[in-house]
Amino acid sequence: MSEPSFFKRAAGLTVGAIAELTGAEPRPGTDLARRIAGIAALDRAAPGDIVFIDNARYLQHLPAVRAGACLAGARFLDRIPEHVGALCVREPYRAFVEVARKLFPEALRPSSLRAASGTAANATVHPSARMEMGVTIEPNVVIGPGAEIGADTLIAANSVIGPDVRIGRSCSIGSNATISHALIGDRVVIHPGCQIGQDGFGYIQAARRHVKVPQIGRVIIQDDVEIGALTTVDRGGIRDTVIGEGTKIDNLVQVGHNTTIGRHCIIVAQTGISGSVTIEDYAVLAARVGVYDHIRIGEGAQIAAAGVVWSDVPAGARLGGWPVRPVRQWLREIATVERLAGRSGGGPASTGEE
Amino acid sequence: MSEPSFFKRAAGLTVGAIAELTGAEPRPGTDLARRIAGIAALDRAAPGDIVFIDNARYLQHLPAVRAGACLAGARFLDRIPEHVGALCVREPYRAFVEVARKLFPEALRPSSLRAASGTAANATVHPSARMEMGVTIEPNVVIGPGAEIGADTLIAANSVIGPDVRIGRSCSIGSNATISHALIGDRVVIHPGCQIGQDGFGYIQAARRHVKVPQIGRVIIQDDVEIGALTTVDRGGIRDTVIGEGTKIDNLVQVGHNTTIGRHCIIVAQTGISGSVTIEDYAVLAARVGVYDHIRIGEGAQIAAAGVVWSDVPAGARLGGWPVRPVRQWLREIATVERLAGRSGGGPASTGEE
Amino acid sequence: MSEPSFFKRAAGLTVGAIAELTGAEPRPGTDLARRIAGIAALDRAAPGDIVFIDNARYLQHLPAVRAGACLAGARFLDRIPEHVGALCVREPYRAFVEVARKLFPEALRPSSLRAASGTAANATVHPSARMEMGVTIEPNVVIGPGAEIGADTLIAANSVIGPDVRIGRSCSIGSNATISHALIGDRVVIHPGCQIGQDGFGYIQAARRHVKVPQIGRVIIQDDVEIGALTTVDRGGIRDTVIGEGTKIDNLVQVGHNTTIGRHCIIVAQTGISGSVTIEDYAVLAARVGVYDHIRIGEGAQIAAAGVVWSDVPAGARLGGWPVRPVRQWLREIATVERLAGRSGGGPASTGEE
């Protein structure tokens, strides 16, 4: 089995160009003409790679580092071996990301497995669907009547785009995804296997049976949203389900019907958002947060992983726990219970905490 | 980008017809000939829409409401503006749903992106599969040998139906779903991306390796079941995995092997049910409940969101927490811990609770 | 609707052969020539089936059991009715699994819905992809340029294999799965709907927007791994995401970028593992465990279901709770809170616990 490289290295950048790009100051003696073509972690770097260090935890790797250049804050600069080009910068990770984006522009957005744009011979595109220039439709994609797809958008293999769906420009729709009843903006990335626009979960009980409530709303996804693999977004029942501009959603997240998520939010993996929730701009929901229905989460609020939100959250709050409460209070409660229950004595307790 | 309407408005119903349908009493002066063609939320309604109000929280929207008709209980009837047809009814939401079902019959069940029934040219149907009249097979569907599909059933694009699977009449199988080793009743809705009938998770350890336990059971899904997007139902190992008549399951739920779910249960999103569990009729598992293996949950029991069930639950119980306990006890425990840990004083605490 | 049998019964094994296979000792008088062709649970068995009993809870089913043979420990042997062949063995369940594996060899690995190996006419395989002998490519599979697939591997219908992916020998890739940026070993089973190799979730904030961090690592899946339906494995950002030899992962699990899972681990359904986590060999994460990023879980550690891991876990630890702590301490804390909050008196409390 050969070892492929999934991202091709281009000509790269000189250390001097990297210093210019990131505003870093080269350590005296650094070879500015040296060429950097890859990025790597400290313990994996080869001579053509750039690395960064911003945490004392990883200083142990520095003596043996083989990288061509290293971005570091002033405090770690002396620790970088002589043979490595050292670049001093206030925010090493941010600078590193800037370089990575320059070196691997094709990794900024999922790309097609086809060489060229255009529609694969075995895609099924309804004649009434309209496509702008430069759209790529991979094999076995099915596009329903009346759908519209903007310039430069990729619809990956085996995806299904329902009737009358609108997808904007420069989007990437992953393989095995289904999108229906949705209007999608520009530069939106939907990762593989997402299911967007199906019925929300709405029933009333009648005669000891559950009777379906028709779900006639839509899904609105604004510009620059990214949605992780296998995430579900139900269409609205009576109003629309909305995901605001620039919001980033991770894998396996559930977004219920009628819910509005604001702009530039972060929603981490396995989070579940019930129906009719309102999440304001810049909120952050860490992994596996659960939000009850009809809740409002204020602007910039942050919920720690696994938190359960059953009442409204004010703007800017930092909460965690079940139900969520201010993080300091939550941690104090955990400590209080531990104290009241007593410790197990040496063995098990010291095994479990460190 | 044009704004499509995903659900076509039909001729609609007169306010008089709606009163008759729902048993509502029109407020004197209401124009019974007025025609209603849509449903909407209070703050979004146009003159052709019907709305409802049953919660004082939304009274603020009433003065400006533009709807054609409003369903309300007696207590709110006076608050409905003169220009809106007012219909007095004991259960406004229930009446509203009744009207919605009448106005949007095509929303009661996922429909095909194809205009006609029949098998798409690029579907792959094994010659030994049998289909009744009026089956719709969308593009790129793959149907294995010996499968049988009942009249009026839709198999949506890019789904895979394994060998010998049985699917009843008037079902909708969503796109990108896989169904194997399963017998499915009538009027079952399986939403996109569901994976049904794969191996359960069974291993024994031998010589420090995990050795697979063959999974030779089936999945039985009875009539009128609805299963949300990206839900997994593993086939039985040694007996069948069964989902009872009329049970409704939401998105991203896991149902383990050998588990039996009774009739008319509600299982909300991201819930996880381990193997060999028995859930009796009319049980309700709110979002993200977790159930240990070999547990029995009694008839009509209700588990609050995020609850972890590790011992049997008697019929009719109302439980929550980790492990689940009676809801009142659980809430008292939360309050007790909060009290013992002390409050944070003004700032953070008042930020976190309201 | 006819009732199909999804797993064909072969000629079966005689009771004598089963005794030999499992090292069981037949009860005197047991007919060793009797033929067993199926496995079943005690309450479902037919005369051609073998059953087992290893738990007093199921003794109630023994008097009426119709099986042809029963594996049991010495303590239950007398309880097996005369007409059932009784086989005494130290570990009845393990012996039962051994028989099941012998009777249903085709259930040890997902099989194709096609009768023959080879590439389906309507698969889309790039001419530069290389396949060894005996590969089965089902309909609508899409295989990108440069991909390599080993002998005897099955790629099930409607799956997508990205450019340059390597898949070893005797693997099964389920339907509706997507695999990109990945190197996969031999005898790996990926169940339907898995999404493997998409971008990890990495952003930095700049000018009040989230800016994507390029994800240029890979996914490495070693030999004999099994991954459940609808599980997501993100490719590495700066190093690889690795799943070690023999590890078994259940459905709807999330594995974050840069994470390394060791060999022979068990990861149960709905577990979420953040980025840059290290899990050492033989660790067990029960259902819905959550692991924070950059955590290390030591060799052989076991985390109880729903546990939240936010600090490192030493080898061999047995932890549970939120955050996880030694199981005995955790249970004592639960009991302490219950005691401090007081019980509800007879009614509700006795309803909730048993």
Side-chain angles (χ1 to χ4, degrees):
Chain A
M1 197 186 266
S2 57
E3 279 238 7
S5 170
F6 293 102
F7 292 96
K8 307 307 177 212
R9 290 170 170 232
L13 295 167
T14 61
V15 171
I18 289 173
E20 202 164 331
L21 173 71
T22 60
E25 179 145 354
R27 182 171 60 182
T30 288
D31 175 7
L32 298 181
R34 193 166 183 169
R35 195 158 279 281
I36 298 297
I39 62 170
L42 274 178
D43 57 330
R44 295 288 178 108
D49 292 333
I50 189 166
V51 296
F52 73 100
I53 179 149
D54 65 354
N55 189 322
R57 187 176 180 171
Y58 302 111
L59 281 176
Q60 47 166 324
H61 296 302
L62 267 188
V65 72
R66 297 168 57 234
C70 179
L71 293 153
R75 59 181 177 146
F76 295 143
L77 209 67
D78 293 348
R79 311 286 289 268
I80 300 172
E82 280 302 313
H83 67 276
V84 179
L87 295 167
C88 183
V89 66
R90 213 165 52 88
E91 296 183 281
Y93 180 60
R94 185 178 292 274
F96 180 78
V97 169
E98 224 170 330
V99 176
R101 291 174 58 92
K102 201 81 172 182
L103 289 174
F104 298 97
E106 80 276 23
L108 295 179
R109 181 185 144 194
S111 57
S112 175
L113 50 66
R114 304 186 72 216
S117 71
T119 299
N122 47 357
T124 304
V125 180
H126 194 275
S128 66
R130 278 174 291 175
M131 266 160 293
E132 293 186 349
M133 299 287 292
V135 168
T136 302
I137 309 286
E138 291 191 348
N140 307 326
V141 165
V142 180
I143 300 186
E148 295 180 15
I149 300 180
D152 186 38
T153 281
L154 160 67
I155 314 287
N158 292 5
S159 282
V160 180
I161 310 298
D164 295 315
V165 164
R166 301 285 179 270
I167 299 177
R169 295 175 175 169
S170 302
C171 295
S172 292
I173 309 297
S175 47
N176 290 304
T178 306
I179 300 180
S180 70
H181 308 88
L183 310 183
I184 296 179
D186 296 334
R187 297 174 305 280
V188 169
V189 176
I190 310 266
H191 283 287
C194 279
Q195 305 298 332
I196 293 179
Q198 59 281 336
D199 298 58
F201 195 69
Y203 302 92
I204 57 170
Q205 232 192 19
R208 304 266 291 160
R209 306 178 81 84
H210 304 290
V211 174
K212 188 177 182 72
V213 178
Q215 306 287 309
I216 65 153
R218 305 172 297 181
V219 174
I220 312 291
I221 298 177
Q222 298 178 359
D223 294 346
D224 298 301
V225 166
E226 183 161 350
I227 299 185
L230 295 177
T231 279
T232 53
V233 182
D234 291 343
R235 74 172 179 267
I238 193 176
R239 54 178 78 236
D240 294 327
T241 305
V242 180
I243 300 177
E245 184 189 334
T247 282
K248 311 299 183 185
I249 300 181
D250 200 351
N251 299 345
L252 291 166
V253 169
Q254 150 75 352
V255 179
H257 55 174
N258 306 326
T259 280
T260 293
I261 300 176
R263 294 175 303 146
H264 306 296
C265 294
I266 291 281
I267 315 276
V268 186
Q270 294 183 322
T271 283
I273 303 171
S274 301
S276 302
V277 168
T278 302
I279 299 179
E280 297 181 354
D281 299 348
Y282 292 100
V284 175
L285 276 55
R288 197 178 290 166
V289 165
V291 184
Y292 274 51
D293 57 295
H294 291 89
I295 291 299
R296 173 176 291 268
I297 295 183
E299 184 170 337
Q302 299 191 358
I303 312 294
V308 177
V309 183
W310 71 34
S311 57
D312 286 356
V313 171
R318 301 283 179 276
L319 311 183
W322 181 10
V324 291
R325 57 203 58 220
V327 166
R328 279 171 52 197
Q329 180 184 332
W330 171 43
L331 297 177
R332 201 166 57 239
E333 291 183 11
I334 290 170
T336 300
V337 170
E338 187 177 310
R339 182 173 43 75
L340 291 169
R343 297 300 295 270
S344 312
S350 61
T351 319
E353 317 253 337
E354 45 174 50
Chain B
M1 198 187 267
S2 57
E3 279 238 8
S5 170
F6 292 100
F7 293 95
K8 309 305 177 214
R9 292 171 169 232
L13 295 167
T14 62
V15 171
I18 289 172
E20 201 163 332
L21 173 70
T22 60
E25 180 143 354
R27 181 171 62 181
T30 288
D31 174 6
L32 298 182
R34 192 166 183 169
R35 194 158 282 279
I36 299 296
I39 63 170
L42 273 178
D43 58 331
R44 296 287 179 107
D49 293 331
I50 190 167
V51 296
F52 73 98
I53 180 152
D54 65 354
N55 188 323
R57 186 175 178 171
Y58 303 111
L59 279 176
Q60 48 166 323
H61 296 303
L62 266 188
V65 73
R66 298 168 56 234
C70 180
L71 292 153
R75 60 182 176 145
F76 295 142
L77 210 65
D78 293 348
R79 312 286 289 269
I80 300 172
E82 279 303 313
H83 67 275
V84 179
L87 294 167
C88 184
V89 64
R90 212 164 51 88
E91 296 183 282
Y93 180 59
R94 185 178 292 274
F96 180 77
V97 170
E98 225 170 331
V99 176
R101 290 173 58 91
K102 201 79 174 184
L103 289 173
F104 298 97
E106 81 279 22
L108 296 179
R109 180 185 145 193
S111 57
S112 176
L113 50 67
R114 305 185 71 215
S117 70
T119 299
N122 47 357
T124 304
V125 179
H126 194 276
S128 66
R130 278 174 292 176
M131 267 161 291
E132 292 186 350
M133 300 287 292
V135 168
T136 301
I137 309 287
E138 291 191 349
N140 307 325
V141 166
V142 179
I143 300 187
E148 295 181 15
I149 300 181
D152 188 37
T153 281
L154 161 67
I155 313 288
N158 292 5
S159 283
V160 180
I161 310 296
D164 296 315
V165 163
R166 302 283 180 272
I167 299 177
R169 295 176 175 168
S170 301
C171 294
S172 291
I173 309 298
S175 48
N176 290 303
T178 306
I179 300 180
S180 70
H181 308 88
L183 310 183
I184 295 180
D186 296 335
R187 296 174 304 280
V188 169
V189 175
I190 310 267
H191 284 287
C194 280
Q195 305 299 331
I196 293 180
Q198 59 280 335
D199 298 59
F201 194 68
Y203 302 91
I204 57 171
Q205 232 192 19
R208 305 266 292 160
R209 305 179 82 83
H210 304 291
V211 174
K212 189 178 183 71
V213 177
Q215 305 287 309
I216 65 155
R218 306 172 296 183
V219 174
I220 312 289
I221 298 177
Q222 297 179 358
D223 294 346
D224 298 302
V225 166
E226 185 160 349
I227 299 184
L230 295 177
T231 279
T232 52
V233 182
D234 290 343
R235 73 172 181 268
I238 193 175
R239 53 179 78 236
D240 295 327
T241 304
V242 180
I243 301 177
E245 185 187 334
T247 282
K248 310 299 184 186
I249 299 180
D250 201 349
N251 298 346
L252 290 166
V253 169
Q254 150 74 353
V255 179
H257 55 174
N258 306 326
T259 281
T260 293
I261 300 176
R263 294 175 304 146
H264 307 296
C265 294
I266 291 282
I267 315 276
V268 186
Q270 295 182 323
T271 283
I273 303 172
S274 301
S276 302
V277 168
T278 302
I279 299 178
E280 297 181 354
D281 299 349
Y282 293 102
V284 175
L285 276 56
R288 197 178 293 166
V289 165
V291 184
Y292 274 51
D293 58 295
H294 290 90
I295 291 299
R296 173 177 292 269
I297 295 182
E299 183 168 339
Q302 299 191 358
I303 313 293
V308 177
V309 183
W310 71 35
S311 57
D312 287 356
V313 171
R318 300 282 180 277
L319 310 183
W322 180 11
V324 292
R325 56 204 57 221
V327 166
R328 279 172 50 197
Q329 180 185 332
W330 171 43
L331 297 177
R332 201 165 58 237
E333 291 183 9
I334 290 171
T336 300
V337 170
E338 185 176 312
R339 182 172 44 76
L340 291 169
R343 297 301 295 270
S344 311
S350 61
T351 320
E353 317 252 340
E354 46 174 48
Chain C
M1 198 187 270
S2 57
E3 280 237 7
S5 170
F6 292 101
F7 293 95
K8 307 307 176 212
R9 291 170 170 232
L13 296 166
T14 62
V15 171
I18 290 172
E20 202 163 332
L21 173 71
T22 60
E25 179 144 354
R27 181 171 62 182
T30 288
D31 174 6
L32 298 182
R34 192 166 183 170
R35 195 157 278 281
I36 298 297
I39 62 169
L42 274 177
D43 57 330
R44 294 291 178 105
D49 293 332
I50 189 166
V51 296
F52 74 99
I53 179 150
D54 65 355
N55 188 325
R57 188 175 178 172
Y58 302 112
L59 280 175
Q60 48 167 322
H61 295 304
L62 266 188
V65 72
R66 296 169 56 234
C70 180
L71 291 152
R75 61 181 176 146
F76 294 144
L77 209 68
D78 293 349
R79 310 287 288 268
I80 300 171
E82 279 303 313
H83 66 277
V84 179
L87 294 167
C88 184
V89 64
R90 212 164 52 88
E91 296 183 281
Y93 180 60
R94 186 178 292 273
F96 181 78
V97 170
E98 225 170 329
V99 175
R101 290 174 58 92
K102 201 81 174 182
L103 289 173
F104 298 98
E106 80 277 23
L108 295 180
R109 181 184 145 194
S111 56
S112 175
L113 51 65
R114 305 185 72 216
S117 70
T119 299
N122 47 356
T124 303
V125 179
H126 194 275
S128 66
R130 277 174 292 175
M131 266 162 291
E132 293 187 348
M133 300 287 292
V135 168
T136 302
I137 308 288
E138 291 191 349
N140 307 326
V141 165
V142 179
I143 299 186
E148 295 180 15
I149 300 181
D152 187 36
T153 281
L154 161 67
I155 313 288
N158 292 5
S159 283
V160 179
I161 310 297
D164 295 314
V165 164
R166 302 285 179 270
I167 299 178
R169 296 175 174 168
S170 301
C171 295
S172 292
I173 309 298
S175 48
N176 290 303
T178 305
I179 300 180
S180 69
H181 308 87
L183 310 184
I184 296 180
D186 297 334
R187 296 174 305 281
V188 170
V189 175
I190 310 267
H191 284 286
C194 279
Q195 305 298 330
I196 293 179
Q198 60 280 336
D199 297 60
F201 194 68
Y203 303 91
I204 57 171
Q205 232 192 20
R208 305 266 293 160
R209 307 178 81 84
H210 304 290
V211 174
K212 188 177 183 72
V213 178
Q215 306 287 308
I216 65 154
R218 307 171 296 183
V219 174
I220 313 289
I221 299 179
Q222 298 179 358
D223 295 345
D224 298 302
V225 165
E226 184 160 351
I227 299 184
L230 295 177
T231 279
T232 52
V233 182
D234 291 343
R235 74 170 179 269
I238 192 176
R239 52 180 79 236
D240 295 326
T241 304
V242 180
I243 300 178
E245 184 188 334
T247 282
K248 311 299 184 184
I249 299 181
D250 200 351
N251 298 346
L252 291 166
V253 168
Q254 151 74 353
V255 180
H257 55 174
N258 306 326
T259 280
T260 294
I261 300 177
R263 295 175 302 147
H264 307 297
C265 294
I266 291 282
I267 315 277
V268 185
Q270 294 182 323
T271 283
I273 303 171
S274 301
S276 302
V277 168
T278 303
I279 299 179
E280 297 181 354
D281 300 348
Y282 293 101
V284 175
L285 276 55
R288 197 178 292 166
V289 165
V291 183
Y292 274 51
D293 58 295
H294 290 89
I295 291 300
R296 173 176 292 268
I297 295 183
E299 184 170 338
Q302 299 192 358
I303 312 294
V308 177
V309 183
W310 71 35
S311 55
D312 287 355
V313 171
R318 301 280 179 278
L319 310 183
W322 181 9
V324 292
R325 56 204 59 220
V327 166
R328 280 171 50 197
Q329 179 185 333
W330 171 42
L331 297 177
R332 200 167 57 240
E333 291 183 9
I334 290 171
T336 299
V337 170
E338 185 176 313
R339 182 172 43 77
L340 291 169
R343 299 298 298 269
S344 312
S350 60
T351 319
E353 318 252 338
E354 47 174 46

